């Protein structure tokens, strides 16, 4: 196991953190709908990846408190991006489902962000691009641990 607190391994962790944060900030500026907060966009992304969910499930996946998620869902519903439906097994709960409007907006956002990244990648040489392609699955794994 690498020593992630000292030496080259610690420096690599620090560089990775810094680079991911800077790139994330730059990508956040490539939004289609500026009226949505990053948290609202994240909730829509979670719904797109995982499918419909209760507000409680969304709160756990997004690492926010349930009352906060209730407010976020209400805002998204007011913008026509999600709808609340009866839970199929528990009448006390609702299920949050994204609308076609949300799907369209997310697809446009993905296209814009992918185009931005593609522009950055054009500045890499072939060896750097090969390393980045190889690192993508590892970064994806880290994002979901």
């Amino acid at each position: 196991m690498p020593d992630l607190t000292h030496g080259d391994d610690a420096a690599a962790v620090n560089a990775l953190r810094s680079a991911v944060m800077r790139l994330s900030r730059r990508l956040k500026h490539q939004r289609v709908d500026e009226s949505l907060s990053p948290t609202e966009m994240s909730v829509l992304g979670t719904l797109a990846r995982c499918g419909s969910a209760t507000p409680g499930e969304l709160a756990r996946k997004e690492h926010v408190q349930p009352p906060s998620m209730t407010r976020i869902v209400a805002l998204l519903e007011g913008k026509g991006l999600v709808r609340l439906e009866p839970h199929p097994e528990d009448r006390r709960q609702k299920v949050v489902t994204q609308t076609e409007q949300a799907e369209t907006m997310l697809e446009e956002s993905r296209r814009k962000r992918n185009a931005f990244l593609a522009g950055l990648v054009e500045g890499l040489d072939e060896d750097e691009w090969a390393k980045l392609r190889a690192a993508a699955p590892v970064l994806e794994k880290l994002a979901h641990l």
Side-chain angles (χ1 to χ4, degrees):
M1 180 73 180
D3 180 1
L4 302 179
T5 60
H6 297 92
D8 291 343
D9 289 334
V13 167
N14 188 56
L16 178 62
R17 177 199 49 77
S18 178
V20 167
M21 288 179 67
R22 280 194 312 274
L23 186 58
S24 176
R25 276 194 301 271
R26 291 181 71 188
L27 281 168
K28 284 179 184 176
H29 291 293
Q30 304 299 314
R31 296 191 326 212
V32 171
D33 187 336
E34 293 291 328
S35 72
L36 294 177
S37 72
T39 303
E40 291 167 332
M41 285 295 293
S42 181
V43 169
L44 291 177
T46 296
L47 288 170
R49 273 189 317 282
C50 302
S52 299
T54 66
E57 292 166 339
L58 284 173
R60 280 189 295 283
K61 288 177 182 179
E62 292 295 316
H63 306 285
V64 299
Q65 294 299 313
S68 296
M69 184 55 64
T70 300
R71 286 189 297 278
I72 293 165
V73 168
L75 288 168
L76 292 171
E77 184 180 29
K79 294 175 183 181
L81 298 171
V82 300
R83 64 181 172 276
L84 292 171
E85 301 170 336
H87 192 283
E89 298 160 8
D90 185 348
R91 297 264 182 219
R92 297 169 297 167
Q93 292 196 59
K94 298 284 185 186
V95 174
V96 182
T97 303
Q98 73 175 2
T99 63
E100 283 187 33
Q101 180 183 344
E103 290 175 30
T104 300
M105 190 262 312
L106 284 171
E107 183 56 39
E108 288 176 35
S109 182
R110 273 190 224 93
R111 265 196 300 276
K112 185 174 182 180
R113 289 174 180 180
N114 285 349
F116 173 76
L117 277 176
L120 294 178
V121 166
E122 287 176 358
L124 301 178
D125 64 34
E126 189 55 43
D127 184 54
E128 290 169 326
W129 175 225
K131 288 175 183 174
L132 189 57
R133 279 194 318 266
V138 178
L139 292 171
E140 180 71 19
K141 181 178 179 177
L142 285 177
H144 294 287
L145 286 179

